[in-house]
Amino acid sequence: MAAAPEERLDVLTAAGDKTGVSKPRSEVHRDGDYHRAVHVWIYSESTGELLLQRRADCKDSWPGKWDISSAGHVSAGDSSLSSARRELHEELGIKLPVDAFELLFVFLEKCVTNNGTFFNNEYSDVYLVTTLSPIPLEAFTLQESEVSAVKYMHCDEYKNYLATENGEYVPYDLKGQYGQLFSIIEKRYKDNMESRSLTLQKQISRYAPIHLEPELTTLSEGDREALGYILKASIVIDDIFYEQVWNSNRMLRDWLKARSGSSSFDNLKWAYYSINKSPWSGLDENKPFLSTADSAVNLLTDATKPISGWKGVEYRAAFPQDKPGGANFYPPDMNKMEFELWKSGLPDQEQKDATGFFTVIKRPDALLPSALSSSKGSDQTNNSDDLYVVPYSKEYKSSLEKAAELLCKASECSDSPSLKNLLRTKANAFLSNDYYESDIAWMELDSNIDITIGPYETYEDGLFSYKATFEAFIGIRDDIATSQLKLFGDQLEDLEKNLPMDNIYKSDNVSAAPIRVMNLLYNSGDVKGPQTIAFNLPNDERIVNERGTSMVMLKNISEAKFKLIVKPIADACIREEQKDYVDFEPYYTHIVCHECCHGIGPHSIILPSGKKSTVRLELQEFHSALEEAKADIVGLWALNFLINKGLLPKSLSKSMYVSFLAGCFRSIRFGLEEAHGKGQALQFNWMYEKGAFILHPDGKFSVDFTKVEDAVESLSREILTIQAKGDKPAAQALLQSRATMTQPLRVALEKIEHMQVPVDIAPIFGTANKLLANI
């Protein structure tokens, strides 16, 4: 019988990226090629022990030595996480789901063994599987060609063996990268509960609670009844968003909520998790405030062969310390290069589906029999992990069917024709995955209930900014405030014609943008952390080109933020002679102009090659931050333009700049990992470099009114031109050079911290909660 073909490995660059070449394993080690492997450690929480395996005597490296629980190469065409699951199953007979594997770090090992004949230049993805107690040794099924024995050993004892270079153990340099394994485990289980409680209290205190109780007196009886169904649908939308953030997020939410009454510490964990809707803190550059040790426990009764008297593997649902860049829209171990290589081989329509707003990207289960049988010993690149596209209507089918049913009931109850139409078309969109008609209906909404519900923003997709998250904003229309803002929407065409960029890039198809003002009643979905004060939708470039956009202003949120945050920031950071310029009118007017300016400037573009594209597709992960910066700075330019036309009072000409300066410090506190914070840092640093913003010896700031207008125009031109050209390298360079925490910003933030000014608000939906309680 012929021997099985030798396993092939992807050859990597020195930086760890695929070259597109694969070679037999023996040749890779002969030639010293960079390649990828996985290390999987099983850790028993109750005993503090790691599982070790003794390598088989026939192994070509470190034969007979004690080593990692499970390890192996990533075969050509395979993925890291799939390989980790497969190796654990093949070597030890343990079958675990994706959520058991926590990626701790990537380790580059460079060594030469076997008398200089075996070169190992290996990138290893190091995973941790945390079980509550040791797995009985008799539960393991050992692969004799790889493993001769297994045993548990306490972390400290094993660490000591490595430190003393005991010859029975495969060596790892504890002073190098691999020391992280032990430091992460030690910190995770030795952190003081009292200290963590104080940290959580401080983090929560950055959000000022605000009660939202808008009046419902303008609603008809039918609309009141419809509102109840709309609120119920919004709760379903919340479930979908939790799932979009990370694959085990809903499980963690339910686990923390169920235990929130167990202790004050558990209550604090739940409270801060509820604000962030994930275990990562948005105001702290997405650093985790929880660890896998805080996570949900799952029981698997069939992960190993059955053992009498043992119920099975109890493991912690793991989550990475680094927030996944692709959220749960892509496989957790997929990188950008893999996606681009896969996408380039698709037909045009499938490429559009892959990069569309309303699809997720998945790969087959690595432990399906077909994948297991084809993963080793093939001359061809393994295709078991090919990516594929799933529409939202299928991925979130059960939730969307429930939400659609509720919106249909709301549509039947409502007295408003435009609201009935929006609810009906949105319900259809949830089931068909085609949101075009419902987005048009949203733009035409003219109702006392203002509702925005569905997948819209793409901030959560940190890889490409392709995928939209679900959200819901329910409010009561403020007709008087809405009528006062008609001027801004009507001026969009004139603003587009006069934008500070070359005429070749300007659009002839800008439409007047309707602006609606509402008082927020309830929100859900992608509303984590800092609260939205306004939004401009839809993001579908087809509709933007055909009909423009519509804006919704959340007046009660803007008022709360100005009173509780912007005004105290001005007291802390603005020079006395300019402090009175900080006022709600210019602050709110700029918010309006910010949202208007999302609707002008480049959207659909023609690249130098002649290819039609969009700014979003070309700038990818840099799009969101640059678009927020564009709306902000062009919004300032637009206000000045309207003042010079005599359409706005000249009293705004100074107050808008000083109010904007105070607002800069507010947004930067959101963190430089967040699109608005990153965009605001870019603007502040540009204005400071141009001399438009001045830091005085007393640590306070002022605006140089002789320089600010030119600085605003120059940055507007810079950003608009980058967008018009779809110039991703220029976008990256601008953000990397300017969207940074500079010394002047640190001065301001330290002053604000000293005065304990809230960073943002945490809404309490009094009226909505009463309605839900009575349904």
Side-chain angles (χ1 to χ4, degrees):
M1 185 174 179
E6 186 178 359
E7 178 185 18
R8 299 181 71 89
L9 307 181
D10 285 315
V11 176
L12 308 180
T13 67
D17 295 320
K18 289 183 179 181
T19 61
V21 174
S22 69
K23 293 167 63 172
R25 179 178 176 275
S26 60
E27 294 181 17
V28 166
H29 285 293
R30 180 198 67 193
D31 301 336
D33 294 314
Y34 289 92
H35 57 285
R36 189 165 298 281
V38 290
H39 293 183
V40 182
W41 292 95
I42 296 179
Y43 175 75
S44 166
E45 198 173 69
S46 62
T47 60
E49 294 175 317
L50 287 168
L51 179 74
L52 304 180
Q53 67 156 267
R54 186 177 181 275
R55 297 170 66 83
D57 291 332
C58 60
K59 297 290 290 181
D60 53 8
S61 63
W62 309 111
K65 306 293 185 185
W66 289 99
D67 199 6
I68 304 157
S69 309
S70 175
H73 291 101
V74 177
S75 299
D78 207 345
S79 71
S80 170
L81 186 53
S82 298
S83 299
R85 297 178 67 202
R86 188 177 294 121
E87 290 296 337
L88 199 62
H89 184 255
E90 290 179 349
E91 292 186 355
L92 303 181
I94 306 176
K95 188 174 181 180
L96 294 177
V98 167
D99 69 353
F101 295 81
E102 176 184 0
L103 179 62
L104 295 183
F105 56 91
V106 179
F107 167 63
L108 174 58
E109 180 183 18
K110 303 179 74 172
C111 66
V112 181
T113 59
N114 297 1
N115 298 317
T117 62
F118 188 92
F119 295 85
N120 198 37
N121 292 321
E122 191 168 83
Y123 278 96
S124 295
D125 295 338
V126 181
Y127 291 92
L128 184 69
V129 172
T130 301
T131 62
L132 292 195
S133 56
I135 299 170
L137 298 185
E138 58 268 31
F140 296 105
T141 302
L142 305 186
Q143 185 180 18
E144 293 182 1
S145 61
E146 299 284 337
V147 185
S148 61
V150 292
K151 68 178 180 180
Y152 275 100
M153 179 176 287
H154 195 277
C155 278
D156 292 341
E157 184 181 2
Y158 177 52
K159 185 178 178 183
N160 183 60
Y161 280 133
L162 293 180
T164 57
E165 300 181 0
N166 186 296
E168 294 185 23
Y169 297 83
V170 174
Y172 293 99
D173 182 8
L174 297 181
K175 295 180 181 178
Q177 290 175 292
Y178 225 89
Q180 295 177 80
L181 170 68
F182 299 95
S183 61
I184 289 170
I185 292 174
E186 287 169 9
K187 179 172 176 18
R188 183 168 294 179
Y189 292 97
K190 290 182 180 179
D191 266 359
N192 182 281
M193 186 181 297
E194 183 178 348
S195 173
R196 286 189 66 193
S197 293
L198 290 173
T199 299
L200 284 169
Q201 287 172 357
K202 184 177 180 181
Q203 290 174 313
I204 293 168
S205 71
R206 294 178 295 183
Y207 290 89
I210 177 74
H211 291 266
L212 298 181
E213 298 184 340
E215 291 290 334
L216 305 181
T217 53
T218 60
L219 300 187
S220 66
E221 184 177 340
D223 280 355
R224 276 177 176 264
E225 189 176 355
L227 181 58
Y229 289 116
I230 292 169
L231 290 172
K232 282 187 172 183
S234 300
I235 294 172
V236 178
I237 293 300
D238 216 33
D239 285 341
I240 299 175
F241 175 68
Y242 275 101
E243 187 175 342
Q244 289 183 304
V245 172
W246 161 58
N247 57 13
S248 296
N249 203 28
R250 284 176 68 173
M251 184 195 308
L252 179 61
R253 177 197 63 181
D254 296 343
W255 173 269
L256 293 173
K257 184 177 181 180
R259 283 152 185 78
S260 60
S262 302
S263 68
S264 59
F265 181 48
D266 287 316
N267 187 56
L268 288 170
K269 287 193 288 187
W270 168 242
Y272 198 51
Y273 175 88
S274 298
I275 290 172
N276 289 278
K277 297 195 172 186
S278 81
W280 299 282
S281 175
L283 293 182
D284 299 296
E285 313 294 334
N286 285 325
K287 291 179 181 176
F289 58 92
L290 300 174
S291 76
T292 297
D294 301 302
S295 193
V297 174
N298 291 326
L299 171 64
L300 288 177
T301 58
D302 58 352
T304 68
K305 63 185 178 185
I307 300 296
S308 177
W310 180 61
K311 59 184 178 180
V313 176
E314 288 183 286
Y315 72 93
R316 293 275 186 189
F319 58 86
Q321 294 300 288
D322 294 330
K323 188 174 186 288
N328 198 25
F329 301 120
Y330 311 92
D333 56 349
M334 188 207 81
N335 59 30
K336 296 184 71 172
M337 180 172 288
E338 179 186 2
F339 178 85
E340 294 291 1
L341 286 171
W342 166 73
K343 178 176 72 95
S344 66
L346 299 176
D348 288 348
Q349 183 55 51
E350 290 182 31
Q351 288 195 28
K352 289 180 180 179
D353 292 340
T355 59
F357 287 113
F358 314 126
T359 61
V360 296
I361 309 301
K362 311 198 80 159
R363 64 166 102 250
D365 189 327
L367 298 189
L368 289 175
S370 59
L372 285 171
S373 63
S374 65
S375 64
K376 297 286 180 76
S378 172
D379 285 326
Q380 304 299 317
T381 295
N382 168 36
N383 292 318
S384 65
D385 284 303
D386 278 355
L387 304 173
Y388 62 95
V389 178
V390 179
Y392 281 4
S393 54
K394 182 177 179 181
E395 179 71 3
Y396 312 119
K397 186 173 187 290
S398 61
S399 294
L400 288 174
E401 286 178 344
K402 186 187 300 183
E405 182 181 357
L406 290 165
L407 292 186
C408 285
K409 289 180 178 178
S411 178
E412 292 170 3
C413 297
S414 175
D415 300 319
S416 165
S418 65
L419 180 59
K420 290 174 78 72
N421 185 47
L422 171 60
L423 296 170
R424 178 186 58 79
T425 56
K426 189 64 71 173
N428 292 339
F430 285 168
L431 303 180
S432 69
N433 217 50
D434 183 353
Y435 287 85
Y436 183 89
E437 185 182 359
S438 67
D439 280 344
I440 297 295
W442 178 83
M443 295 182 73
E444 295 174 347
L445 180 63
D446 184 14
S447 163
N448 287 326
I449 296 177
D450 204 299
I451 170 175
T452 300
I453 187 168
Y456 286 106
E457 304 295 0
T458 61
Y459 303 124
E460 204 68 22
D461 180 0
L463 286 182
F464 299 106
S465 289
Y466 290 159
K467 307 304 176 186
T469 48
F470 279 82
E471 63 187 25
F473 291 88
I474 316 302
I476 305 302
R477 178 79 64 87
D478 186 329
D479 287 324
I480 295 175
T482 295
S483 65
Q484 292 171 342
L485 297 181
K486 188 174 184 296
L487 158 73
F488 295 94
D490 291 344
Q491 293 298 313
L492 282 193
E493 187 173 352
D494 202 23
L495 289 171
E496 175 76 26
K497 288 179 181 177
N498 289 278
L499 282 173
M501 67 174 176
D502 293 347
N503 288 333
I504 192 174
Y505 300 130
K506 295 176 183 177
S507 173
D508 297 324
N509 299 318
V510 174
S511 304
I515 303 176
R516 312 196 296 257
V517 180
M518 73 171 182
N519 287 303
L520 185 66
L521 173 73
Y522 188 78
N523 65 20
S524 67
D526 191 0
V527 293
K528 59 186 175 58
Q531 293 295 298
T532 297
I533 52 181
F535 46 87
N536 183 295
L537 296 171
N539 290 323
D540 186 331
E541 289 92 355
R542 297 173 302 169
I543 298 176
V544 173
N545 291 332
E546 294 168 10
R547 304 189 55 156
T549 60
S550 289
M551 283 161 275
V552 176
M553 315 296 299
L554 281 56
K555 189 175 181 183
N556 53 351
I557 300 295
S558 297
E559 290 170 339
K561 290 200 181 197
F562 183 81
K563 176 183 175 182
L564 296 173
I565 301 167
V566 178
K567 199 64 175 169
I569 285 175
D571 292 338
C573 297
I574 304 299
R575 287 292 291 268
E576 194 65 36
E577 64 270 19
Q578 291 191 359
K579 197 179 295 183
D580 288 344
Y581 284 128
V582 180
D583 189 62
F584 181 71
E585 182 184 2
Y587 167 76
Y588 186 64
T589 304
H590 177 256
I591 293 171
V592 175
C593 241
H594 168 106
E595 295 305 328
C596 283
C597 289
H598 276 306
I600 60 175
H603 291 281
S604 294
I605 58 176
I606 299 176
L607 301 177
S609 64
K611 176 187 174 184
K612 292 183 178 180
S613 187
T614 67
V615 177
R616 179 180 66 90
L617 286 175
E618 295 305 316
L619 299 192
Q620 296 183 348
E621 71 268 30
F622 305 113
H623 171 257
S624 293
L626 207 65
E627 176 60 24
E628 291 304 324
K630 184 237 9 197
D632 255 349
I633 202 70
V634 175
L636 274 183
W637 170 86
L639 285 178
N640 188 61
F641 178 83
L642 296 174
I643 290 169
N644 290 336
K645 281 189 69 175
L647 297 174
L648 291 176
K650 286 194 174 293
S651 60
L652 289 175
S653 61
K654 291 184 177 180
S655 60
M656 68 181 187
Y657 293 123
V658 185
S659 297
F660 175 78
L661 173 57
C664 275
F665 302 134
R666 179 187 74 86
S667 297
I668 289 166
R669 297 174 80 202
F670 298 161
L672 299 190
E673 291 298 313
E674 193 270 345
H676 298 80
K678 188 179 292 185
Q680 201 76 70
L682 158 63
Q683 294 168 83
F684 174 89
N685 289 326
W686 181 285
M687 304 286 274
Y688 184 81
E689 289 173 19
K690 302 296 183 184
F693 292 163
I694 302 168
L695 173 60
H696 297 274
D698 62 356
K700 294 200 172 187
F701 293 80
S702 66
V703 175
D704 185 333
F705 297 117
T706 67
K707 297 179 178 179
V708 69
E709 190 174 324
D710 287 343
V712 166
E713 184 164 329
S714 65
L715 180 55
S716 297
R717 179 178 294 277
E718 181 79 10
I719 294 175
L720 288 167
T721 303
I722 288 172
Q723 290 184 321
K725 293 180 177 180
D727 192 343
K728 184 179 177 181
Q732 180 178 13
L734 182 63
L735 287 166
Q736 287 182 346
S737 64
R738 297 301 201 315
T740 59
M741 186 57 66
T742 55
Q743 183 57 28
L745 285 175
R746 289 193 185 93
V747 170
L749 297 186
E750 286 171 7
K751 278 184 168 292
I752 296 167
E753 183 74 17
H754 180 71
M755 291 188 66
Q756 297 184 324
V757 179
V759 178
D760 209 73
I761 60 173
I764 300 169
F765 303 112
T767 300
N769 289 334
K770 289 174 188 173
L771 284 170
L772 286 167
N774 293 326
I775 294 174

